Amino acid sequence: MRRPRRKAEDTRAEILDTAELLFARNGISGCSIAHIAQALGMSPANVFKHFHSKISLADAICDRHIVKMVDRLKAVETEAPAPERLGVVVRQLMNIHLEAMREAPFMFEMILMLAETKIASGRHYEQMLQSLFCDLIRHGVESGVYYCSDPIRRGRAVAAAFACVLHPVFLVNEPPEELQARCDETVELVNIALQNPLAK
Amino acid sequence: MRRPRRKAEDTRAEILDTAELLFARNGISGCSIAHIAQALGMSPANVFKHFHSKISLADAICDRHIVKMVDRLKAVETEAPAPERLGVVVRQLMNIHLEAMREAPFMFEMILMLAETKIASGRHYEQMLQSLFCDLIRHGVESGVYYCSDPIRRGRAVAAAFACVLHPVFLVNEPPEELQARCDETVELVNIALQNPLAK
């Protein structure tokens, strides 16, 4: 059976949709490129043209989720003062992760599988967080509630400090009350730092 | 061949030594309780009496490393002011992890394997860090360089914020310069928070 010619981008999206469905159903270790190709009625070679390994497929699926997450965050943009906004943004991000983990537990298998590999989506997520916090710090400095002469450097440190509530490895199997408390305490610590008038 | 009767504690230590050796040689997934028993000249039932699963064995090995780590940290106790000590302690801890990862790469496989399970050694490590930072904050408050009315709560937040340089999942595959920079920037952020005279 010959498939009609289609745009590479559409084919790529179709492969990702099917792979995500199969990963969710059978786990990543229970799927191969060959399975995915079969489900799509494609040749494995055709899938391979777009994704050179199961890792790069999983990486691309993660990246799609990250982009969706940023879009949702932009939608909840608030007009509150910076210290409050920081809390809202971090809690929102943490809850999006928790929801994703409930709805798609295979995502956790994926992240563990990818933890050993240096992957593009991990780096993308990190940079997205750094620029998010950098903007938030700038906004706080402009409105006179935060003190900081190097928002880029500080944004990196803030993103790193929030890994404990924003990296999936720390979210799995933790009781929700404990995560909520850790989130509140870390937001408090970071806000105390950013509000220190003596900070360089 | 009958083995002489020995103290349970000695047997336990011997099992851990052998398991650690075999894990290091063949990876955790390449070992079974039966392999470990065979290498010890014991029956699997005897190993099983001490450890009910490979997970609980791996957990106990991690815990031994944590105890050793704390001992090494106590040995480098410094008389420097609290903000400096904070930097020394965090860098020291990070470097001990990096060293362990180079010397025993199977440890990382173990931690990933255990990340999905709620394990005793993970909780132990977390509590050890929290009490370490709590003591450090108390010391800083007493000497008038830190401001904090609730060192236990703040110690928890500080331990959480340092997960980005103290949890093995963040150390693997990162270039050393980048880790060093992240460590310095996070220590700076936490010190700015702890030195804020307006903090409650």
Side-chain angles (χ1 to χ4, degrees), chain B residues 47-189:
Chain B
V47 175
F48 198 77
K49 245 197 316 202
H50 294 273
F51 299 99
H52 288 301
S53 66
K54 212 158 68 168
I55 297 271
S56 69
L57 246 171
D59 193 11
I61 293 174
C62 279
D63 211 57
R64 274 211 309 198
H65 279 275
I66 290 165
V67 172
K68 264 190 234 164
M69 197 160 69
V70 184
D71 287 346
R72 281 182 60 181
L73 258 189
K74 279 181 187 149
V76 295
E77 197 67 48
T78 133
E79 282 307 305
E84 237 173 274
R85 256 179 80 196
L86 183 75
V88 171
V89 165
V90 174
R91 264 184 292 275
Q92 183 82 13
L93 269 171
M94 185 178 86
N95 289 330
I96 293 174
H97 275 304
L98 289 174
E99 204 181 288
M101 223 168 267
R102 267 192 309 271
E103 282 174 13
F106 78 97
M107 288 280 286
F108 186 68
E109 184 195 352
M110 187 145 73
I111 286 153
L112 280 191
M113 193 176 107
L114 298 180
E116 279 180 276
T117 328
K118 199 77 200 162
I119 49 155
S121 61
R123 183 59 76 197
H124 186 187
Y125 180 48
E126 197 183 337
Q127 285 167 347
M128 187 276 275
L129 289 183
Q130 289 172 352
S131 100
L132 182 81
F133 291 121
C134 172
D135 289 349
L136 222 150
I137 293 167
R138 278 211 183 94
H139 170 255
V141 170
E142 278 159 21
S143 55
V145 288
Y146 281 167
Y147 301 86
C148 172
S149 63
D150 188 346
I152 293 177
R153 178 183 171 90
R154 197 71 86 239
R156 270 200 309 266
V158 169
F162 281 130
C164 59
V165 287
L166 298 183
H167 192 290
V169 89
F170 291 107
L171 301 180
V172 81
N173 287 328
E174 287 288 344
E177 325 79 67
E178 211 161 298
L179 280 178
Q180 214 56 61
R182 192 194 297 161
C183 190
D184 292 347
E185 289 171 5
T186 318
V187 166
E188 185 181 275
L189 178 80

Side-chain angles (χ1 to χ4, degrees), chain A residues 116 154 156 173 185 188, chain B residues 116 154 156 173 185:
Chain A
E116 279 182 275
R154 197 70 85 241
R156 271 201 307 267
N173 287 329
E185 289 171 5
E188 185 181 274
Chain B
E116 279 180 276
R154 197 71 86 239
R156 270 200 309 266
N173 287 328
E185 289 171 5

